[in-house]
Amino acid sequence: MAPSFGEMEPAEAESVYFNEYPPPKALPKHEALARAFVELHVEDKRRVVLVTSGGTTVPLETQTVRFIDNFSAGTRGATSAEYFLEQGYAVIFLHRQYSLLPYSRHYSHSTNCFLDFMDEAPPTDASADSDHGRIVVRSEYQDAMRDVLRKYRYAKQHNRLLLLPFTTVAEYMFELRSLAKIMQPIGANALFYLAAAVSDFFIPRSRMAEHKIQSSELPAHFQKDNSVGAEEIYTGENEEKPANSKKLVINLDPVPKFLHRLVDGWAPEGSMVVSFKLETDPSLLVYKAQTALQRYSHHLVIGNLLSTRKWEVVFISPDQPERWIRVPKSRRSKSISGVEDQVGLAEAMKGEKGPDTQTD
Ligand code: PAZ
């Protein structure tokens, strides 16, 4: 039996994994954009952060109808990117397509549709015809929206924000590897802030169905075209066929852990690498985050629990094995769209006002 990725040396796992998949179609275009972005900011000696954000998918079919998704709205990544921009960084924002984006996040994916922020202005003499009335932002949102708009425009006009989307875990891996290598000239001014929720399990391409997996038996004359059926693919060579053939048994392999390769090979010498760890069981969080730091020897792991991620995180670094940052209830803010966001946490992390502040 072929060795699994977990049994291979990191460099071997890299070569096997990246040889198995064709690079994403958008990769050459993204690489060209990233190269130009990096060149510009290296010239200006600006710090550049690669923020990863949103969840990766694991397709079940090559022509994908179904896929397994990973939890993440992109709030952490998009909010953090805004704070990095405010601190003078240029940001490469590698994000799950259609997840939250810096600045526009204030007006999208919320319970309010963006149209709820708008109104028709009362007709003036010049536009007495109500069909041609001006559209304006409602008065109660003017200040907050002006603030967001100005920051957004500044980032755009000064070329500080590069948005690059991914969907599948394979696309994410290709993009991450390429971007890290392209960032080489940035040296110690480069930061990797890996907030994306990356799938831990996947179906290797060699075992993936080409077409939509069928849920019912097909007549014999279709069998050939659909020979790569769900059972054959997913139950694996040594497993028994399910007694009930309507069951879909999915056999997933572990995704190779490329943090090793990022830290030891792809990322520029002297750059800083920050990863995130998400857990649901509070008793595991610190242990898992500490283990990740030991395993990959990078600079910082930020641990968070699914249920409290917006209000508390734990920093695990070589200097400090466990440091909690908590936002007290009184400082848990609402974004202007009414959706809870992480401004309080980001402020606490930035200003160090709240380490070990009790959640009340
Ligand atoms: O995007 P979001 O704000 O809804 O969630 C952020 C997060 C929990 C995905 C992130 O903080 C995180 O922990 N990312 C790493 C997940 C992991 O352990 O793979």
Side-chain angles (χ1 to χ4, degrees):
M1 228 194 330
S4 76
F5 286 112
E7 292 159 348
M8 295 177 197
E9 287 299 313
E12 188 192 357
E14 177 183 346
S15 118
V16 172
Y17 183 86
F18 287 100
N19 282 333
E20 179 156 336
Y21 289 92
K25 283 202 179 79
L27 190 66
K29 187 178 147 204
H30 290 178
E31 287 176 334
L33 289 168
R35 256 184 223 110
F37 190 82
V38 164
E39 236 167 67
L40 176 77
H41 295 295
V42 165
E43 212 171 284
D44 293 349
K45 298 192 170 53
R46 188 165 289 110
R47 288 176 297 175
V48 179
V49 58
L50 172 64
V51 175
T52 71
S53 180
T56 62
T57 69
V58 168
L60 299 190
E61 301 119 341
T62 307
Q63 296 192 40
T64 308
V65 176
R66 281 81 159 235
F67 54 88
I68 302 172
D69 209 346
N70 238 64
F71 165 85
S72 172
T75 319
R76 173 87 68 215
T79 311
S80 303
E82 289 178 17
Y83 278 84
F84 279 121
L85 287 161
E86 223 160 279
Q87 295 300 311
Y89 279 81
V91 177
I92 301 176
F93 192 67
L94 180 63
H95 64 282
R96 164 75 176 276
Q97 190 174 37
Y98 309 129
S99 65
L100 291 173
L101 298 177
Y103 304 120
S104 70
R105 77 182 171 95
H106 297 276
Y107 307 99
S108 63
H109 297 42
S110 71
T111 44
N112 293 351
C113 167
F114 72 94
L115 295 170
D116 295 329
F117 295 97
M118 298 172 147
D119 238 333
E120 282 193 62
T124 59
D125 287 347
S127 64
D129 176 359
S130 65
D131 283 350
H132 295 91
R134 283 181 318 120
I135 304 294
V136 293
V137 170
R138 283 167 58 173
S139 56
E140 64 268 39
Y141 298 123
Q142 289 277 336
D143 288 345
M145 201 177 248
R146 187 181 306 106
D147 187 47
V148 174
L149 182 65
R150 283 183 180 164
K151 288 175 179 165
Y152 168 71
R153 285 240 174 104
Y154 183 89
K156 255 190 115 166
Q157 284 165 358
H158 293 83
N159 229 323
R160 295 283 170 87
L161 179 60
L162 178 63
L163 304 176
L164 300 175
F166 64 80
T167 302
T168 67
V169 64
E171 286 169 5
Y172 173 84
M173 294 301 184
F174 270 98
E175 297 274 352
L176 180 66
R177 182 170 76 153
S178 283
L179 292 171
K181 290 180 176 178
I182 288 169
M183 287 169 72
Q184 284 284 340
I186 305 166
N189 268 348
L191 169 61
F192 294 82
Y193 185 86
L194 310 173
V198 182
S199 317
D200 284 325
F201 302 100
F202 80 125
I203 300 168
R205 197 172 148 82
S206 53
R207 295 215 312 270
M208 205 191 279
E210 168 67 22
H211 294 287
K212 183 184 167 198
I213 298 164
Q214 297 299 313
S215 58
S216 53
E217 284 285 312
L218 289 170
H221 62 280
F222 284 116
Q223 294 286 338
K224 193 159 175 278
D225 286 342
N226 289 277
S227 58
V228 208
E231 288 174 13
E232 271 183 60
I233 304 156
Y234 299 121
T235 53
E237 290 157 29
N238 301 321
E239 292 174 33
E240 281 178 21
K241 271 191 164 192
N244 178 350
S245 65
K246 283 191 176 164
K247 270 190 185 168
L248 174 64
V249 179
I250 302 175
N251 181 0
L252 301 166
D253 276 16
V255 172
K257 303 284 185 200
F258 286 127
L259 197 45
H260 244 302
R261 296 296 300 136
L262 180 75
V263 174
D264 287 345
W266 307 341
E269 192 76 34
S271 59
M272 183 177 182
V273 179
V274 178
S275 71
F276 277 78
K277 174 64 70 187
L278 174 68
E279 290 298 334
T280 54
D281 179 346
S283 69
L284 285 182
L285 182 63
V286 169
Y287 165 77
K288 292 291 292 284
Q290 286 173 344
T291 307
L293 191 74
Q294 279 160 16
R295 184 168 296 151
Y296 304 113
S297 309
H298 54 307
H299 302 89
L300 175 67
V301 180
I302 303 179
N304 53 174
L305 291 168
L306 184 66
S307 54
T308 57
R309 69 193 187 285
K310 299 203 175 182
W311 319 121
E312 60 177 14
V313 291
V314 59
F315 277 27
I316 310 284
S317 64
D319 308 334
Q320 271 184 309
E322 183 176 342
R323 188 175 128 228
W324 286 89
I325 296 178
R326 298 191 170 99
V327 178
K329 262 190 190 149
S330 55
R331 288 185 52 213
R332 295 177 188 178
S333 60
K334 298 255 177 198
S335 77
I336 58 172
S337 57
V339 177
E340 289 173 344
D341 69 15
Q342 302 176 98
V343 170
L345 184 54
E347 288 291 354
M349 286 158 83
K350 188 175 74 170
E352 304 253 315
K353 289 173 197 147
D356 297 321
T357 310
Q358 290 304 306
T359 31
D360 47 17

